[in-house]
């Protein structure tokens, strides 16, 4: 389905922002009530759980962008002030890309006209908030968005003109032939797994297998920890200064890339690498098969990204360890949730009970709270998107008989 871009002009954007700022003087802040620390039993089916996670994000975080019809984005925290909802300064392109990807998951699980329209609204919101452009200078940002847009097209027939070709070209233009990879930011010397991995997945899905294989080899030969077999966060080139953090989402994108190549090439090493990464992740980054938690803010997305690609390798390659990690994490996240107004609220650690943010009943904040992660990370959109991703992955595996 072709959906033309219906963004607004830069002049229109300025008028919209000016009007939005004026309206902050009269709009009331978000309020919430009926907090339940001990959740009701609720539905037990994976599809119902994914549906409730979707509803929670949509009702709490997703708003019309600058009162422009047909455009939506996610507010970074909840409860949120009116200023937060404007997304004038920090708006987190890559969080919005994952919001779009989760919206694709939901529509693929149960297609409805409302869900298809929502995908269009979020994509147009990203394009508009990014000043009428799909691209920026960050390879990790652009790779997350192109993955979501490619899935919307391939799985649902929802297409956004030349968005995917433009993002693909921008990523290819960021390629450094001397290194054999794309940097975290174009022109920067840091080569992060968060940029290399999803760019490789995108290249594989878009038919550029040679680049995808080179990126997989870069992760395997340059960023793999010889002790654990896991993938480091990144390296500065050509100095070789390494960030040796072993993060969940780095393993997720490496697993996802090796899985894509295992499906598309005759090289058995990719299947072996994917299996080794899953085993290493289970040993080092999980507790009782529950994926390790995070600190909120950007790291809130790390767990869900890993869950997405664990489910992919379980579905595509039959990896039972990957499936177990997803199922155990989903059970833990659901069992430890809180409920606010009958909808789930998830935490930064899926194996710990959630504490609902204090003061929900009388939240009256008007100041900007988006400059840093709030004390309770459950307020972060990133945390709630991770859980939504996880529950969609759990549903996909269950529906496929895994």
């Amino acid at each position: 389905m072709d959906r033309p871009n219906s963004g607004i002009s830069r002049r229109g954007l300025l008028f919209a922002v000016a009007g939005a700022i004026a309206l902050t003087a009269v709009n009331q802040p978000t309020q919430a009530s009926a907090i339940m620390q001990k959740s009701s039993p609720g539905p037990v089916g994976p599809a119902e759980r994914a549906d409730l996670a979707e509803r929670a994000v949509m009702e709490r975080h997703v708003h019309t962008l600058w009162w422009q019809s047909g455009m939506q984005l996610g507010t970074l925290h909840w409860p949120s002030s009116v200023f937060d909802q404007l997304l004038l300064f920090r708006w987190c392109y890559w969080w919005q890309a994952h919001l779009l990807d989760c919206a694709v998951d939901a529509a693929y699980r149960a297609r409805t006209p409302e869900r298809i329209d929502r995908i269009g609204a979020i994509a147009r919101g990203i394009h508009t908030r990014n000043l009428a452009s799909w691209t920026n200078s960050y390879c990790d940002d652009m790779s997350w968005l192109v993955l979501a847009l490619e899935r919307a097209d391939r799985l649902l027939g929802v297409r956004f003109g030349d968005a995917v070709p433009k993002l693909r070209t921008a990523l290819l233009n960021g390629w450094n032939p001397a290194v054999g990879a794309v940097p975290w930011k174009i022109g920067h010397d840091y080569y992060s797994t968060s940029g290399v991995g999803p760019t490789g997945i995108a290249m594989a899905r878009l038919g550029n297998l040679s680049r995808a294989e080179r990126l997989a080899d870069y992760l395997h030969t340059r960023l793999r920890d010889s002790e654990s077999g896991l993938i480091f966060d990144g390296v500065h080139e050509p100095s070789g200064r390494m960030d040796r953090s072993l993060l969940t989402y780095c393993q997720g994108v490496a697993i996802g890339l090796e899985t894509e190549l295992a499906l598309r090439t005759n090289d058995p090493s990719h299947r072996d690498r994917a299996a080794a990464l899953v085993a290493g992740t289970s040993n080092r980054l999980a507790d009782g098969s529950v994926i390790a938690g995070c600190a909120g803010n950007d790291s809130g997305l790390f767990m869900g990204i890993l869950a997405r690609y664990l489910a992919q390798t379980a579905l595509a390659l039959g990896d039972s360890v990957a499936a177990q990690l997803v199922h155990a994490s989903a059970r833990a996240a659901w069992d430890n949730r809180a409920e606010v107004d009958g909808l789930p609220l998830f935490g930064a650690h899926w194996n710990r009970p959630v504490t609902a943010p204090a003061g929900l009943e009388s939240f009256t904040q008007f100041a900007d709270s988006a400059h840093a992660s709030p004390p309770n990370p459950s307020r972060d959109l990133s945390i709630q998107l991770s859980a939504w991703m996880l529950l969609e992955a759990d549903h996909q595996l269950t529906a496929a008989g895994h």
Side-chain angles (χ1 to χ4, degrees):
M1 180 189 304
D2 287 314
R3 289 178 174 262
N5 299 326
S6 55
I8 59 177
S9 67
R10 290 175 187 265
R11 182 180 179 184
L13 185 150
L14 291 174
F15 277 118
V17 172
I21 293 172
L23 284 170
T24 62
V26 296
N27 267 357
Q28 295 300 311
T30 302
Q31 295 189 7
S33 59
I35 304 169
M36 296 179 62
Q37 296 301 119
K38 185 174 182 180
S39 304
S40 58
V44 296
E48 293 88 350
R49 293 177 180 181
D51 185 75
L52 285 173
E54 173 196 9
R55 283 180 52 199
V57 169
M58 290 300 157
E59 292 187 17
R60 293 171 184 156
H61 290 273
V62 177
H63 302 279
T64 300
L65 178 64
W66 300 333
W67 288 270
Q68 296 296 305
S69 176
M71 298 182 195
Q72 294 180 326
L73 283 181
T75 300
L76 305 185
H77 309 298
W78 175 84
S80 58
S81 70
V82 176
F83 190 88
D84 293 339
Q85 294 174 20
L86 294 176
L87 299 171
L88 293 179
F89 297 105
R90 184 172 183 244
W91 67 286
C92 291
Y93 178 119
W94 81 290
W95 292 24
Q96 309 297 339
H98 284 287
L99 171 63
L100 178 61
D101 220 2
C102 285
V104 172
D105 289 335
Y108 187 60
R109 167 171 46 85
R111 184 179 183 126
T112 66
E114 179 185 8
R115 287 188 171 112
I116 297 299
D117 288 344
R118 180 185 298 145
I119 290 167
I122 294 170
R124 287 188 292 272
I126 292 171
H127 184 261
T128 297
R129 179 58 187 82
N130 200 45
L131 302 181
S133 175
W134 295 110
T135 64
N136 66 13
S137 58
Y138 293 87
C139 290
D140 55 351
D141 279 1
M142 292 190 289
S143 62
W144 297 124
L145 182 57
V146 76
L147 286 172
L149 292 170
E150 187 276 335
R151 291 182 70 237
D153 184 4
R154 173 166 48 88
L155 299 179
L156 302 168
V158 179
R159 187 174 304 142
F160 297 92
D162 59 357
V164 168
K166 282 188 172 180
L167 286 160
R168 177 182 180 275
T169 298
L171 289 169
L172 289 173
N173 288 342
W175 184 272
N176 184 341
V179 175
V182 294
W184 161 68
K185 181 180 181 181
I186 294 173
H188 201 273
D189 73 340
Y190 190 61
Y191 289 76
S192 68
T193 300
S194 65
V196 172
T199 298
I201 296 170
M203 291 297 110
R205 291 180 181 175
L206 295 172
N208 196 331
L209 289 180
S210 62
R211 288 290 174 93
E213 288 186 286
R214 289 187 67 183
L215 291 169
D217 288 343
Y218 183 84
L219 293 180
H220 184 73
T221 60
R222 191 74 176 103
L223 290 176
R224 185 170 59 92
D225 175 25
S226 59
E227 178 187 351
S228 67
L230 298 179
I231 306 298
F232 291 132
D233 185 73
V235 61
H236 293 266
E237 301 283 18
S239 72
R241 182 162 57 90
M242 189 85 67
D243 182 337
R244 296 179 177 272
S245 303
L246 296 173
L247 304 174
T248 49
Y249 80 144
C250 292
Q251 316 320 312
V253 295
I255 290 166
L257 177 52
E258 296 294 356
T259 300
E260 293 291 338
L261 291 171
L263 291 173
R264 289 171 167 79
T265 71
N266 294 319
D267 186 347
S269 68
H270 296 299
R271 178 185 288 268
D272 294 341
R273 289 180 188 177
L277 285 166
V278 170
T281 298
S282 180
N283 290 334
R284 294 286 293 267
L285 296 176
D287 181 7
S289 293
V290 177
I291 295 168
C294 66
N297 209 329
D298 278 345
S299 73
L301 281 164
F302 292 2
M303 307 173 293
I305 291 169
L306 173 57
R308 176 182 295 284
Y309 291 107
L310 286 171
Q312 177 188 326
T313 201
L315 289 167
L317 305 181
D319 193 307
S320 60
V321 176
Q324 172 61 20
L325 287 167
V326 173
H327 289 315
S329 297
R331 285 193 298 270
W334 186 258
D335 290 345
N336 286 302
R337 75 196 187 281
E339 283 186 359
V340 182
D341 293 332
L343 292 174
L345 184 74
F346 300 98
H349 297 268
W350 290 332
N351 57 359
R352 302 178 191 173
V354 174
T355 300
L360 286 177
E361 299 92 334
S362 57
F363 185 77
T364 57
Q365 179 181 6
F366 280 91
D368 175 19
S369 66
H371 64 280
S373 187
N376 189 323
S378 291
R379 290 187 59 205
D380 289 359
L381 172 62
S382 57
I383 295 287
Q384 304 310 313
L385 287 176
S386 251
W388 182 8
M389 267 188 267
L390 169 69
L391 295 175
E392 294 285 2
D394 184 51
H395 162 70
Q396 290 169 19
L397 287 173
T398 303
H402 289 272

